[in-house]
Amino acid sequence: MFTSVLMIEKPLVPTDVGLVTTLHGDEPVSFVVLMQPRGDQDRLLRALDDVALGELDDAVREATGQDEEEAADSPVSPAERALEHSLGALRAAGAEAVGQIVQDHPLDVLTSVVEETGADEVIVLTAPHLVEEFFHRDWASRARHKVGVPVLKLFAHGE
């Protein structure tokens, strides 16, 4: 069985599930999903990306923190819901899937998960982050120097 560590920051949509589950043809795939929600420290970078991509409504939402306010009333965090949704979608597509939320030091967690599971590859599935990518500070660029297995960067699809 082929094992992929899948780093995500948003719930998987059907297009993304289809993409990652068919990368290796008919070979059975097992996923270890690391859900790294984007935090407050990234709010400025996200707003800059939104402006650069012409998504002004998203930039305003970043500035006001509306998403965080709406989620604060729920007993289950948005990251937990996103992870459970994503694991269920991968399993429904026929893959094995386990996962965890990563709050701090995502690349350290990624490195240890790759070592512990004997993963064959890392897939970073993320929205475009123009500022981080320009300076090679995005997850995929940084992971390539740490994990010792191939790192594939894919852009996530929108809802």
Side-chain angles (χ1 to χ4, degrees), residues 5-12 32-38 77-87 98-104 106 109-110 113 123 125 139:
V5 178
L6 178 60
M7 290 190 75
I8 62 173
E9 60 190 12
K10 291 182 177 182
L12 296 176
V32 179
V33 180
L34 300 179
M35 176 71 190
Q36 168 67 46
R38 308 278 293 180
S77 76
E80 291 170 319
R81 283 195 306 273
L83 178 61
E84 287 306 314
H85 166 81
S86 299
L87 294 175
V98 296
Q100 68 185 59
I101 307 285
V102 179
Q103 294 295 342
D104 298 315
V109 173
L110 173 64
V113 167
I123 301 171
L125 186 66
W139 291 339

Side-chain angles (χ1 to χ4, degrees), residues 62-120:
E62 290 295 346
T64 62
Q66 285 176 329
D67 290 340
E68 290 87 355
E69 292 170 13
E70 293 167 7
D73 298 332
S74 175
V76 179
S77 76
E80 291 170 319
R81 283 195 306 273
L83 178 61
E84 287 306 314
H85 166 81
S86 299
L87 294 175
L90 290 167
R91 291 175 187 143
E96 291 183 14
V98 296
Q100 68 185 59
I101 307 285
V102 179
Q103 294 295 342
D104 298 315
H105 310 291
L107 294 175
D108 293 339
V109 173
L110 173 64
T111 302
S112 66
V113 167
V114 167
E115 290 171 0
E116 290 168 13
T117 62
D120 299 294

Side-chain angles (χ1 to χ4, degrees), residues 138-156:
D138 58 299
W139 291 339
S141 296
R142 292 170 43 205
R144 286 186 180 105
H145 302 287
K146 289 192 83 153
V147 297
V149 298
V151 176
L152 177 63
K153 180 177 184 171
L154 300 173
F155 290 118

Side-chain angles (χ1 to χ4, degrees), residues 5-63:
V5 178
L6 178 60
M7 290 190 75
I8 62 173
E9 60 190 12
K10 291 182 177 182
L12 296 176
V13 297
T15 306
D16 295 330
V17 172
L19 178 62
V20 299
T21 57
T22 59
L23 282 173
H24 301 288
D26 293 333
E27 186 171 354
V29 182
S30 171
F31 290 96
V32 179
V33 180
L34 300 179
M35 176 71 190
Q36 168 67 46
R38 308 278 293 180
D40 287 339
Q41 71 276 12
D42 299 314
R43 188 175 287 172
L44 174 60
L45 290 174
R46 290 194 315 258
L48 289 171
D49 286 339
D50 292 337
V51 170
L53 294 169
E55 298 170 356
L56 299 180
D57 289 341
D58 290 342
V60 170
R61 189 171 30 259
E62 290 295 346

